[in-house]
Amino acid sequence: MLDGILLEQAGIPAVSIITAPFDETGREMAVSWGLPKYKYIGMPHPIANLTEDELNARADALIDPVVELLRQGQAD
Amino acid sequence: MSAAHNEPAHPGNAARLIELYYEQGWTDGLPVVPPSEESVGAMLAAAGLRGNDLIGEVFERHARLTADKVAVNAVLAGCRPAYMPVVVAAMRGLLHKDYHYHGAATSTGGSSVAVIVNGPIARELEINSGTNALGPGTRANATIGRAVRLTMMNALNTRAPKLDRSTLGNAGKYSLCFAENEAASPWEPLHVERGFKAGESTVTVFAAEGHIQIYNQLSADAETLCRTMADAMSQLGSMGIVGQPQTVVIFAGEHQEVFRKAGWSRARVRQCLYDHARRTIADAKRAGRLPGRLEPKDESTWRHAVARPEDILMVAAGGDAGAFSACLPGWGSGTLCRAVTTRIERP
């Protein structure tokens, strides 16, 4: 989350991805940095115990939302 | 949180304020002592600080900690003003880069902050280092550790479920503060080993999982006792097998005596603990703690619970009766989060 915020601040488009149970933690981090409306993407949890195929499927499912958010940008 | 209230110390007002603090979410679940301008001022004076003095920062949270916030939380926790320099030193340690506050405080690992006090101040403030050192009943132990946690919660936004994501947490998160029993220890004190003078007072802060008690009543032999302790340090479910964080080992009275009689130095004990606190790669793979297919060489390839003997912090504490010691496995990894020892400054 913080990496995405700092990259955006440096003028580099970035997308943060948070697993679902950490949504409120991610939102609080954004609030800490004065960006309560910061946009990021959620994904299912957990990750660490997935097989390679399951991980690839997760990544495939994220491609469209990531591209969409990069196009959209952080501006309202 | 706002500045301290300036209410007269009427019992009815105190009860009302305690409820107010609950309503605001400014407690750890236990009642707090409502602060006043006077009590907060006494805390600051005892540490020789002004309210806006900077104690430290948490970059990741965009947060700054000033002395007045620590003072308010020390009052809330029930500290005497004389404890304030210890609380401040502990917070400086937590905000040192080596501790990596944001990771340790936010993680699902749910670490407590072990606050270990060394030097003359421990005796002066009567911080318990003896019987029931890790348990309740001593004001200094209970409230210094509590002040650290309340400061984390109220001033550094370390609250579940947002920026404290502890899956379980542990009881040490209420307070885990004790002193080293330097007089009884077979070895030089922890802070001397970490570069301070014996006459200096220090606080060592350490991100700890809950403590694991180690029982061995039968052994009067240093080597076998080390093996018992090493087993507790190297359990497969601990974070240590993968991340190799530092580990604190607390030696209580009867076990101290075994090592004293054996004439074992600190270095020898630590080396022996390091040697035996290990699992084979095969063990870790069979438990699914390490990835990959089991290879024949895994049965004879070892992974130690800590990366090197120096990552075992040895402390003497606890009563003189009972064949119990304990280890406090560390949080995370030995490269991410390390114990920090800070000198306690008094005016």
Side-chain angles (χ1 to χ4, degrees):
Chain A
M1 171 62 77
L2 181 55
D3 292 339
I5 291 172
L6 294 176
L7 284 167
E8 287 279 348
Q9 285 185 349
I12 301 166
V15 172
S16 295
I17 302 168
I18 300 276
T19 61
F22 290 95
D23 180 61
E24 55 195 329
T25 303
R27 182 58 59 204
E28 192 67 13
M29 285 293 289
V31 169
S32 301
W33 282 79
L35 300 165
K37 294 180 179 173
Y38 183 78
K39 299 173 201 162
Y40 52 87
I41 293 173
M43 67 176 287
H45 188 87
I47 299 173
N49 60 359
L50 298 184
T51 65
E52 197 165 336
D53 287 345
E54 289 169 331
L55 268 178
N56 286 336
R58 291 273 179 91
D60 288 343
L62 284 167
I63 290 173
D64 286 346
V66 166
V67 171
E68 173 58 24
L69 186 49
L70 282 172
R71 282 194 176 130
Q72 205 179 89
Q74 287 292 331
D76 286 330
Chain B
M1 66 196 299
S2 66
H5 293 270
N6 204 7
E7 301 261 352
H10 184 278
N13 285 340
R16 192 167 52 76
L17 283 172
I18 288 169
E19 291 303 321
L20 175 70
Y21 278 82
Y22 272 121
E23 286 162 20
Q24 296 298 320
W26 290 338
T27 91
D28 52 8
L30 295 168
V32 293
V33 176
S36 65
E37 298 287 355
E38 186 184 6
S39 61
V40 172
M43 285 290 170
L44 290 168
L49 293 168
R50 291 167 303 182
N52 61 359
D53 284 340
L54 184 67
I55 304 301
E57 298 178 85
V58 183
F59 169 78
E60 295 90 338
R61 297 182 178 201
H62 218 241
R64 299 173 84 249
L65 180 66
T66 47
D68 54 352
K69 300 286 173 56
V70 182
V72 168
N73 285 286
V75 175
L76 289 171
C79 288
R80 290 170 52 213
Y83 305 164
M84 176 68 175
V86 184
V87 179
V88 169
M91 291 312 304
R92 287 194 167 121
L94 283 189
L95 301 183
H96 188 281
K97 62 179 172 49
D98 290 352
Y99 189 89
H100 192 195
Y101 179 89
H102 181 60
T106 316
S107 167
T108 49
S111 60
S112 56
V113 179
V115 177
I116 306 166
V117 185
N118 276 102
I121 200 170
R123 295 176 286 281
E124 190 184 315
L125 300 181
E126 299 181 333
I127 301 173
N128 189 10
S129 64
T131 299
N132 199 34
L134 305 189
T138 306
R139 181 173 178 178
N141 299 51
T143 63
I144 291 170
R146 189 186 186 203
V148 168
R149 177 56 57 177
L150 285 172
T151 303
M152 293 169 68
M153 295 176 72
N154 291 329
L156 296 171
N157 202 14
T158 308
R159 287 197 186 89
K162 292 183 176 176
L163 293 183
D164 172 353
R165 291 306 312 250
S166 302
T167 303
L168 285 170
N170 71 70
K173 288 177 69 181
Y174 282 100
S175 179
L176 179 52
C177 170
F178 60 99
E180 177 159 35
N181 191 342
E182 296 174 11
S185 174
W187 310 293
E188 64 182 6
L190 176 70
H191 69 311
V192 172
E193 193 201 19
R194 291 174 67 79
F196 294 86
K197 296 183 182 128
E200 289 181 303
S201 294
T202 67
V203 168
T204 300
V205 290
F206 177 72
E209 297 189 59
H211 84 261
I212 301 171
Q213 189 154 274
I214 299 163
Y215 178 51
N216 190 334
Q217 194 173 31
L218 185 63
S219 172
D221 173 76
E223 167 88 18
T224 55
L225 203 46
C226 276
R227 284 178 180 270
T228 311
M229 295 175 161
D231 186 66
M233 292 168 61
S234 54
Q235 55 168 327
L236 283 169
S238 130
M239 295 179 98
I241 286 295
V242 175
Q244 295 183 310
Q246 293 171 299
T247 294
V248 168
V249 181
I250 303 168
F251 296 78
E254 290 188 24
H255 290 168
Q256 291 169 15
E257 212 43 44
V258 170
F259 291 110
R260 190 195 316 280
K261 282 183 182 164
W264 279 35
S265 68
R266 176 192 287 270
R268 185 169 178 191
V269 175
R270 193 157 47 191
Q271 184 67 47
C272 191
L273 291 173
Y274 171 82
D275 288 344
H276 294 296
R278 62 180 188 167
R279 303 297 290 245
T280 62
I281 298 297
D283 270 353
K285 283 187 174 177
R286 274 192 287 264
R289 289 300 317 276
L290 289 175
R293 187 195 303 266
L294 201 60
E295 309 283 349
K297 67 177 188 318
D298 293 341
E299 300 288 355
S300 55
T301 308
W302 296 90
R303 188 167 179 87
H304 291 261
V306 291
R308 54 201 178 123
E310 293 73 22
D311 284 342
I312 301 168
L313 281 66
M314 296 166 54
V315 187
D320 54 8
F324 299 93
S325 288
C327 75
L328 291 168
W331 170 84
S333 80
T335 51
L336 185 60
C337 180
R338 301 191 63 79
V340 176
T341 302
T342 311
R343 183 183 294 105
I344 297 169
E345 308 282 359
R346 290 197 284 186

